[in-house]
Amino acid sequence: MASNVYKQAIAGPSTLQEAQTNALLTLLNLNETVENTNNPPSNTGKAGSKVPVASGPPVWKVLVLDQHTKDVLATVLRVQDLRDVGVTLHVQLHSNRPPLPDVPAVYFVSPTLANVRRIAQDLEKGLYESFHLNFVEPLSRALLEELAAAVARDGTGELVEQVLDQYLSFIAPSPSLFSLLPPATASSASAPTSSSPSDTSQPHSTYTLLNSPSTTDQQIEEEIERIASGLFSVVATMGHVPLIRCPKGNAAEMVAKRLETKIRDAILSAARSHATSLFAQDATGLSTLQRPLLLILDRNVDLVSMLSHGWTYQALASDCLEMKLNRVVVSQPQKRSYDLDSKDFFWAKNAANPFPQVAEDIDIELNRYKQDAAEITRSTGVSDVNDIAQMDLSVNAAHLKTAITALPELTARKATLDTHMNIATALLEEIKKRGLDELFSTEEAINKQTVQTILETLRHPKPDVAPTPIDKLRLVLVFYLSSPDNAITKDDIVELEKELRAAGADIAAFEYVRRTREISRMTVPTTMGGSSTPVVGGTPGGELFKGFSALGNRLTDRLKDGGLENLISGVKNFLPANKLLPVTRLTEALMDSSAASNQSLQETDDYLFLDPRASRNSSAGLGISGVGAAAGAGARAKRMAFGDGIIFVVGGAGYVEYGNLEEWAKRTGRRVAYGGTEILDPGGFVRILEGLGKAGAQG
């Protein structure tokens, strides 16, 4: 029977995550495309390739991964999904593996020299019946020649069934969120015993590399190439050639131009060789308006969103808990990890919701579960849903089918709710301990704050509230970046730094941000443009507070000293203001210019316009779909309406920004995928700024 993942694949991809899942299922099906007469021909994964359909028993196989590709698979497929497509064993490439000479092997690895040499060793040993070699991104000519020479030397060519580039070098932890794979270094490729996603104490940071004074031109060139290759994978997986927009004069422009060249070369190469193109052709009737927008931005367009305190479920989880890929680790009362993904109904529904709504929805879902469980126990005559196995089948045979059908779903639902009760409890404890509600409300009205009110917040937090040094530093950074030029005097800065030092904060990040702003006059208008109507939330006796109280009732037995209600006493309860953050504001100006502010339009009218389908001459100007527009047509000729968009930030993406963009897309009926070179939590971004501040001071 086809798994749920198969059924979703057959329906055709509607999100980047689904498109990646389809491509992975094709790969695991030995790259065989099986016709499905029950579905229209448009149901394809990548352009020109049909999604595999489970017809008959699957071919049993071994899956060989490295650490990078393991992360790609882990975000979208579970072990049961692998079994459904015939994968009986998945192993690390650089581990010691016993020979299985009667089983085919699917290799899905990064194109590195260490990996290619290990594959050659496996071929020489004849570990498997046949080898299906899939590389997460294109294999360079030098590495291909290395592999070919080894195969020819050892006479193992008959074992190699396929060598394919898969264009999957990105991670999609949510349906519309993605990040690029980190560079596949020699050390990571040869460290097979690692079981964690990242063992290095200094994870790769594009923002550091592009902004550090010690970075060489060659390092920048290599990073731009890596980012463009990763973005090409995203575009190829979606299957449509986008229209590219980006600001001039920074890393975003370098990435955009490199990516345009890659897409153009791929289109021309497929046309010349009469091979199947990675992209849907114009012959399919795809009009200009149906093509997606790809907006590439530099992280410095808005630092505030990366530093501010969020109030949505996913932003709080990223800020307060250890969150890597889809895994969240809760340390108290005991360390436990939970996998959150699109298959988790509660996370899919509530990840972008303000936290008070999440608490309320947990109570609603728990009541629904209790009602459904009570209905089963009533109809079957057992006292507890867990006792169904002890039913008297001779008496209750009529209800047996209903109970057996409903029980797995009920059990899974209860496990999901238990997971989110534990996570919500941990988040509430952090909110109370660090005063995150106060920090969030202060930052929401940051333009109304003065140096004195910020100093007062730093000096005299509320009783029983202890913001961390990084919390205080983030508040100061948000205030500084949100203030007009020269509004904060040097004396004010001295006072702020004094308080930060007294709190134990490292002010290197503050020094870096000040130095950068003095050079570039970087301002971040957090509430500019768009609809900026505040949403009036409930008061501590209003509707949303019921969510907190109800959650407290469910968890009272798990907490000491009166349970959750005491824990949340004094926690503010409100909804965030409905304002557009800068990246969302710029996205609106490019995708829906009729609703955007004049200032946003003036800003984006100066952005570069690149069309990889246009001839080279017309794409340098305002060319659209190969038709050159006169330069005198002005910026308005570039204003187009888009239903789909990919928003990519060079230097890192964050959950506060993602939630704001997702909310706008939902409200306007558009489909947007948001991503960055990495997905960063606020604490991680502060550490990046600190490192740059110290490097600048030494330089």
Side-chain angles (χ1 to χ4, degrees):
M1 180 181 292
S3 68
N4 289 334
V5 174
Y6 254 130
K7 292 172 184 174
Q8 291 170 6
I10 293 168
S14 61
T15 66
L16 177 62
Q17 189 183 59
E18 285 184 18
Q20 186 184 50
T21 304
N22 291 357
L24 288 169
L25 290 173
T26 302
L27 179 160
L28 295 173
N29 202 49
L30 306 182
N31 293 293
E32 292 180 6
T33 54
V34 182
E35 289 283 356
N36 182 12
T37 56
N38 296 326
N39 290 290
S42 61
N43 291 342
T44 60
K46 291 184 185 178
S49 67
K50 298 175 181 62
V51 173
V53 180
S55 55
V59 176
W60 301 114
K61 59 191 81 78
V62 174
L63 174 62
V64 183
L65 305 165
D66 63 17
Q67 190 56 55
H68 284 76
T69 53
K70 177 186 171 187
D71 288 347
V72 172
L73 259 87
T75 52
V76 293
L77 295 176
R78 296 177 176 177
V79 173
Q80 184 58 48
D81 299 324
L82 297 180
R83 288 175 182 158
D84 288 340
V85 291
V87 174
T88 57
L89 181 67
H90 58 281
V91 292
Q92 283 281 331
L93 172 64
H94 292 275
S95 63
N96 293 321
R97 289 168 277 125
L100 296 168
D102 57 346
V103 178
V106 175
Y107 281 69
F108 181 42
V109 296
S110 303
T112 65
L113 180 59
N115 286 355
V116 166
R117 287 177 174 170
R118 186 56 186 260
I119 292 170
Q121 291 176 18
D122 291 352
L123 283 163
E124 183 187 11
K125 295 175 184 175
L127 289 186
Y128 307 110
E129 178 186 65
S130 59
F131 288 67
H132 300 257
L133 307 181
N134 300 273
F135 293 94
V136 71
E137 56 189 357
L139 186 68
S140 67
R141 185 173 184 83
L143 289 177
L144 183 60
E145 289 175 352
E146 172 92 13
L147 178 62
V151 168
R153 181 187 67 236
D154 300 329
T156 54
E158 72 280 359
L159 294 177
V160 180
E161 290 286 336
Q162 300 169 320
V163 181
L164 293 173
D165 299 328
Q166 289 292 346
Y167 302 101
L168 291 169
S169 57
F170 62 94
I171 293 172
S174 299
S176 55
L177 177 68
F178 69 94
S179 65
L180 305 185
L181 282 179
T185 60
S187 59
S188 67
S190 59
T193 56
S194 164
S195 59
S196 63
S198 177
D199 291 312
T200 56
S201 57
Q202 293 290 334
H204 179 84
S205 167
T206 296
Y207 189 85
T208 297
L209 198 148
L210 294 178
N211 290 280
S212 172
S214 62
T215 304
T216 64
D217 288 346
Q218 182 181 349
Q219 287 176 312
I220 292 176
E221 173 68 20
E222 290 172 353
E223 185 68 0
I224 295 299
E225 173 65 24
R226 184 186 76 85
I227 297 169
S229 296
L231 260 182
F232 183 86
S233 286
V234 172
V235 172
T237 300
M238 291 299 286
H240 298 310
V241 178
L243 296 167
I244 306 172
R245 302 296 302 269
C246 68
K248 300 175 182 176
N250 55 27
E253 178 182 354
M254 297 169 69
V255 171
K257 289 185 173 178
R258 184 72 57 87
L259 177 62
E260 183 206 20
T261 301
K262 285 180 177 291
I263 297 174
R264 187 188 303 279
D265 290 348
I267 294 171
L268 291 175
S269 176
R272 288 169 182 164
S273 63
H274 303 289
T276 302
S277 175
L278 291 168
F279 307 103
Q281 299 298 312
D282 290 330
T284 61
L286 195 70
S287 72
T288 299
L289 293 179
Q290 288 173 298
R291 288 173 62 185
L293 164 76
L294 171 56
L295 172 59
I296 304 176
L297 297 168
D298 190 273
R299 183 63 272 166
N300 283 334
V301 74
D302 177 24
L303 297 186
V304 170
S305 299
M306 299 298 291
L307 298 164
S308 58
H309 292 83
W311 195 236
T312 63
Y313 195 18
Q314 60 192 1
L316 282 167
S318 170
D319 190 352
C320 302
L321 306 175
E322 183 185 333
M323 190 170 177
K324 179 73 174 176
L325 301 179
N326 285 333
R327 180 158 294 181
V328 172
V329 177
V330 175
S331 300
Q332 299 295 334
Q334 60 187 25
K335 190 168 184 178
R336 294 191 63 181
S337 61
Y338 303 98
D339 290 326
L340 305 177
D341 54 33
S342 58
K343 302 177 186 74
D344 180 327
F345 77 94
F346 193 87
W347 179 252
K349 178 182 177 183
N350 285 289
N353 285 341
F355 191 66
Q357 286 183 213
V358 176
E360 183 181 12
D361 202 50
I362 287 179
D363 184 56
I364 293 172
E365 291 294 341
L366 276 170
N367 281 329
R368 184 175 298 150
Y369 164 80
K370 290 182 70 175
Q371 290 171 4
D372 292 347
E375 175 60 27
I376 287 183
T377 56
R378 184 192 62 76
S379 63
T380 55
V382 296
S383 58
D384 187 273
V385 73
N386 295 318
D387 296 334
I388 286 180
Q390 278 72 51
M391 284 173 55
D392 182 353
L393 302 185
S394 61
V395 177
N396 296 295
H399 302 292
L400 178 60
K401 182 179 179 181
T402 302
I404 290 176
T405 303
L407 190 58
E409 188 273 334
L410 272 180
T411 304
R413 204 193 322 169
K414 181 63 164 59
T416 297
L417 294 177
D418 285 344
T419 290
H420 289 283
M421 283 197 294
N422 291 333
I423 293 173
T425 304
L427 291 180
L428 280 169
E429 289 174 352
E430 285 291 304
I431 291 169
K432 180 65 175 177
K433 181 169 69 177
R434 292 164 53 185
L436 297 180
D437 55 333
E438 290 289 338
L439 289 168
F440 173 73
S441 61
T442 301
E443 291 169 1
E444 279 283 277
I446 201 69
N447 292 331
K448 298 178 182 178
Q449 308 299 327
T450 64
V451 174
Q452 289 307 312
T453 60
I454 296 297
L455 286 170
E456 186 65 22
T457 302
L458 296 177
R459 289 169 180 159
H460 305 293
K462 287 191 171 184
D464 302 322
V465 169
T468 65
I470 286 184
D471 284 330
K472 294 182 177 182
L473 175 61
R474 287 163 58 188
L475 175 62
V476 170
L477 290 173
V478 169
F479 174 65
Y480 175 78
L481 288 167
S482 302
S483 301
D485 287 345
N486 304 318
I488 303 176
T489 66
K490 289 185 177 180
D491 290 341
D492 293 335
I493 288 172
V494 169
E495 281 294 307
L496 290 168
E497 286 188 342
K498 179 182 175 183
E499 288 303 321
L500 289 174
R501 284 196 182 96
D506 189 333
I507 64 167
F510 192 18
E511 292 170 349
Y512 171 76
V513 169
R514 288 207 320 278
R515 193 163 62 242
T516 304
R517 184 170 180 178
E518 287 165 6
I519 294 170
S520 63
R521 285 300 170 196
M522 178 176 54
T523 57
V524 183
T526 56
T527 57
M528 188 178 299
S531 55
S532 188
T533 309
V535 175
V536 180
T539 58
E543 286 298 312
L544 282 179
F545 196 75
K546 290 179 182 177
F548 280 121
S549 301
L551 183 60
N553 293 337
R554 302 297 176 192
L555 300 172
T556 300
D557 59 332
R558 304 188 185 193
L559 298 170
K560 299 177 181 178
D561 304 324
L564 200 60
E565 290 180 339
N566 285 349
L567 181 68
I568 62 162
S569 60
V571 171
K572 285 197 173 183
N573 182 46
F574 44 75
L575 288 171
N578 184 18
K579 65 185 179 185
L580 300 186
L581 297 177
V583 168
T584 308
R585 176 174 58 82
L586 296 172
T587 302
E588 180 184 61
L590 290 168
M591 292 187 71
D592 186 15
S593 58
S594 62
S597 66
N598 288 330
Q599 180 163 353
S600 299
L601 291 171
Q602 289 170 10
E603 194 173 339
T604 54
D605 282 345
D606 291 332
Y607 280 18
L608 285 178
F609 183 103
L610 304 173
D611 182 359
R613 280 209 186 281
S615 64
R616 290 187 185 275
N617 292 336
S618 62
S619 68
L622 301 176
I624 297 174
S625 290
V627 181
R636 288 186 177 276
K638 297 181 187 177
R639 296 180 186 174
M640 303 167 63
F642 291 93
D644 296 270
I646 302 171
I647 317 303
F648 183 81
V649 186
V650 179
Y655 279 100
V656 169
E657 198 166 67
Y658 171 51
N660 189 257
L661 186 64
E662 203 176 32
E663 191 277 330
W664 171 82
K666 184 177 179 181
R667 191 173 69 244
T668 59
R670 283 168 168 77
R671 295 197 304 181
V672 173
Y674 166 79
T677 45
E678 306 91 14
I679 299 173
L680 299 168
D681 62 85
F685 193 67
V686 168
R687 287 189 290 274
I688 288 172
L689 297 179
E690 284 175 0
L692 287 168
K694 291 173 182 175
Q698 292 170 359

